[in-house]
Amino acid sequence: AVERVNAAAAAVPVSPRLTARGAETIWHGEDGGEIALAAVAVAAIDLVSGPRAARLRRCGAHDCSMLFVAANSRRVWCTPSLCGNRVRVARHAKKA
């Protein structure tokens, strides 16, 4: 999987361009799909290797496979109102 992400990130060249607002990155590709895939791959590389990597977690709900970046160290569910609520409801039903 790592090789595929690296290949997708490297498939589309980029170059800096100076504009009135400052510098921006321009992606060069023949079709929008490869540019989009390269952008996603670059973002994934940044996520797993950057400062947010330590906060990357798998959802604590047993039936959820989502990953999320925890805003605080106590967060255990990807979406407290969905997965968290299902876990709390199941816990309450088990007590009854």
Side-chain angles (χ1 to χ4, degrees):
V2 171
E3 290 84 17
R4 292 176 76 183
V5 170
N6 287 336
V12 180
V14 297
S15 65
R17 175 168 287 170
L18 190 58
T19 67
R21 297 183 310 261
E24 62 183 31
T25 300
I26 304 297
W27 296 76
H28 307 281
E30 294 178 10
D31 103 40
E34 67 182 4
I35 292 173
L37 181 60
V40 169
V42 168
I45 290 169
D46 179 55
L47 176 63
V48 299
S49 66
R52 296 177 297 169
R55 297 189 332 241
L56 187 62
R57 302 220 173 82
R58 182 173 304 278
C59 182
H62 74 280
D63 59 343
C64 182
S65 62
M66 295 293 289
L67 297 174
F68 67 96
V69 177
N72 64 55
S73 61
R74 294 178 21 204
R75 185 169 170 188
V76 294
W77 301 297
C78 63
T79 309
S81 62
L82 294 175
C83 286
N85 191 49
R86 281 194 298 251
V87 170
R88 288 188 292 271
V89 166
R91 188 183 320 140
H92 178 73
K94 199 173 187 179
K95 288 180 182 178

